[in-house]
Amino acid sequence: MEGLIVQWVNNARANRGVAPLKVGSLLTELAGDRAVTISKTETLAHPSCLSCVFRSYGISFSICGEVLAWTSYPWGYQAAKNIYNAWKGSPSHWNILMSPSFHRIGVGVAYRSSNHTTWAAGELKG
């Protein structure tokens, strides 16, 4: 699912003449942890100090950003598509994903079995 989401984001960037985002392993680790956290709390909330979280993972950056979403679809293609469409439908999230200031991304997805929801985090750095 994570790979599909990154692929769709990069296709959209290419259509706008923006360089593709490269996947970063530490960003992916952070995104996975964030997806688990938001799935457990069922809250789409950004940390009060996102840069502090990046630094705690040893991620260096000149700019950092985060996009979050959830869907009522369980794990799979449709859940990935809904996450992507949620980001695309939110101007603030889409502006982050399409910004040429960012060059690396990590996407994490978590499934909450108690209510069959899928939660996702995208962590970006420039």
Side-chain angles (χ1 to χ4, degrees), residues 12-79:
R13 286 173 67 94
N15 288 338
R16 288 162 182 73
V18 180
L21 295 164
K22 294 179 182 175
V23 175
S25 59
L26 289 175
L27 288 169
T28 300
E29 180 183 343
L30 168 57
D33 290 347
R34 291 284 296 135
V36 168
T37 297
I38 63 174
S39 74
K40 286 181 179 177
T41 62
E42 295 186 316
T43 304
L44 294 175
H46 301 287
S48 60
C49 181
L50 183 60
S51 61
C52 297
V53 175
F54 272 60
R55 286 187 198 98
S56 75
Y57 277 77
I59 299 170
S60 60
F61 58 91
S62 58
I63 184 174
C64 62
E66 177 177 74
V67 293
L68 306 174
W70 74 279
T71 180
S72 59
Y73 277 89
W75 199 262
Y77 178 89
Q78 191 59 50

Side-chain angles (χ1 to χ4, degrees), residues 3-13 77 80-81 84 94:
L4 278 175
I5 293 168
V6 171
Q7 177 184 341
W8 294 329
V9 167
N10 277 334
N11 287 346
R13 286 173 67 94
Y77 178 89
K81 195 65 168 174
Y84 171 79
W94 199 241

